C-alpha cells in the first residue's frame, strides 16, 4: 500500500510556517471555535472555501456536497446547519455555487451515472422550475445561468428549514446569502440573494415569524 508521506511533509512545513508567523495561533485555535460564517459549497476540489474568501482556519464552518444542494431530507446538511445556527451562533449562511459545476452540467443531459442521478434530480427540478427562462438561452448561457439559479433555489431551501425559521422567530441575527464563484478568474459574484427574515422571501411563510 502506498504511503502518503508527501502529505505529512506538506503538513509539517505548513504547521511550522504558521507557528513562525504566530506562535499563539494553534494554542488559541484549539481552545475555541467561533466562526461567523457557515459556508455551504460544492465538493469540487477547485473551490476551497477558506482560500476563496481569505479567512483563516476557525473563521468559517464548512459543509460541501456535489453542486451545493440543500435537501430537506439530507440529515448531514441539516445537522451542520443546526450546529452552526444553534451552537456556533453564526450570523451568515453562505450558499456558494460555481460556474463550470460538473454536477449542474450532468443534470442538463440524459446520460445515466448511477446513484448520483438521484441527487441530480434536485438540480433537474431547478431547471424545470425555470424552463421558460432557460429555454431562450444558448447552451453555454444556459449552463452558467443554471449554476446561478441553483444557488438561488438552495438558498431558499436553507431559509425554509425549521432551523432557520426558528432562529428568525427567536430574534436571531442571521442572514442567508447566495454567491457564485468563477473558477476562470477566482472572483466571487454576489447574486443579490440575501434573506434576513421570512418577510424577505418571495413567498413569506405565515407560520415562521
Amino acid at each position: 500500500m502506498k504511503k502518503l508521506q508527501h502529505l505529512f511533509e506538506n503538513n509539517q512545513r505548513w504547521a511550522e510556517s504558521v507557528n513562525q508567523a504566530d506562535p499563539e495561533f494553534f494554542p488559541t485555535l484549539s481552545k475555541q471555535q467561533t466562526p461567523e460564517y457557515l459556508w455551504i459549497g460544492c465538493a469540487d476540489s477547485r473551490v476551497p472555501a477558506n482560500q476563496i474568501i481569505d479567512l483563516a482556519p476557525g473563521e468559517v464552518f464548512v459543509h460541501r456536497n456535489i453542486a451545493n444542494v440543500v435537501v430537506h431530507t439530507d440529515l448531514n446538511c441539516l445537522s451542520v446547519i443546526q450546529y452552526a445556527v444553534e451552537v456556533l451562533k453564526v450570523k451568515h449562511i453562505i450558499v456558494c455555487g460555481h460556474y463550470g459545476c460538473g454536477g449542474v452540467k450532468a443534470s442538463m443531459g440524459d446520460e445515466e451515472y448511477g446513484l448520483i442521478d438521484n441527487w441530480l434530480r434536485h438540480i433537474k427540478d431547478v431547471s424545470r422550475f425555470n424552463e421558460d427562462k432557460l429555454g431562450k438561452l444558448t447552451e453555454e448561457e444556459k449552463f452558467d445561468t443554471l449554476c446561478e439559479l441553483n444557488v438561488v433555489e438552495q438558498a431558499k431551501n436553507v431559509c425554509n428549514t425549521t432551523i432557520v425559521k426558528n432562529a428568525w422567530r427567536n430574534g436571531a441575527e442571521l442572514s442567508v446569502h447566495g454567491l457564485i464563484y468563477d473558477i476562470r478568474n477566482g472572483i466571487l459574484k454576489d447574486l443579490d440573494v440575501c434573506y434576513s427574515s421570512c418577510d424577505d422571501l418571495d413567498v413569506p411563510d405565515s407560520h415562521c415569524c
Side-chain angles (χ1 to χ4, degrees), residues 65-132:
N65 61 49
I66 293 175
N68 43 273
V69 170
V70 177
V71 185
H72 298 302
T73 54
D74 182 359
L75 297 182
N76 184 355
C77 184
L78 293 180
S79 296
V80 170
I81 295 174
Q82 181 176 19
Y83 188 80
V85 171
E86 298 181 6
V87 179
L88 297 177
K89 306 295 184 183
V90 299
K91 290 181 169 52
H92 303 276
I93 299 177
I94 298 168
V95 178
C96 185
H98 67 98
Y99 296 117
C101 179
V104 172
K105 183 67 172 179
S107 76
M108 295 171 64
D110 296 321
E111 186 175 349
E112 294 185 2
Y113 297 94
L115 180 64
I116 194 175
D117 294 333
N118 299 282
W119 188 256
L120 298 179
R121 285 300 323 171
H122 301 293
I123 309 173
K124 286 182 179 289
D125 286 341
V126 176
S127 182
R128 179 168 52 83
F129 299 155
N130 296 276
E131 190 172 356
D132 290 343

Side-chain angles (χ1 to χ4, degrees), residues 30-73:
S30 66
K31 295 175 183 176
Q32 61 182 353
Q33 178 181 210
T34 56
E36 290 193 8
Y37 310 94
L38 166 60
W39 174 285
I40 300 176
C42 183
D44 192 302
S45 61
R46 300 168 294 176
V47 193
N50 285 71
Q51 288 175 267
I52 288 173
I53 50 181
D54 195 24
L55 291 179
E59 296 189 40
V60 189
F61 197 56
V62 179
H63 174 78
R64 295 168 68 180
N65 61 49
I66 293 175
N68 43 273
V69 170
V70 177
V71 185
H72 298 302
T73 54

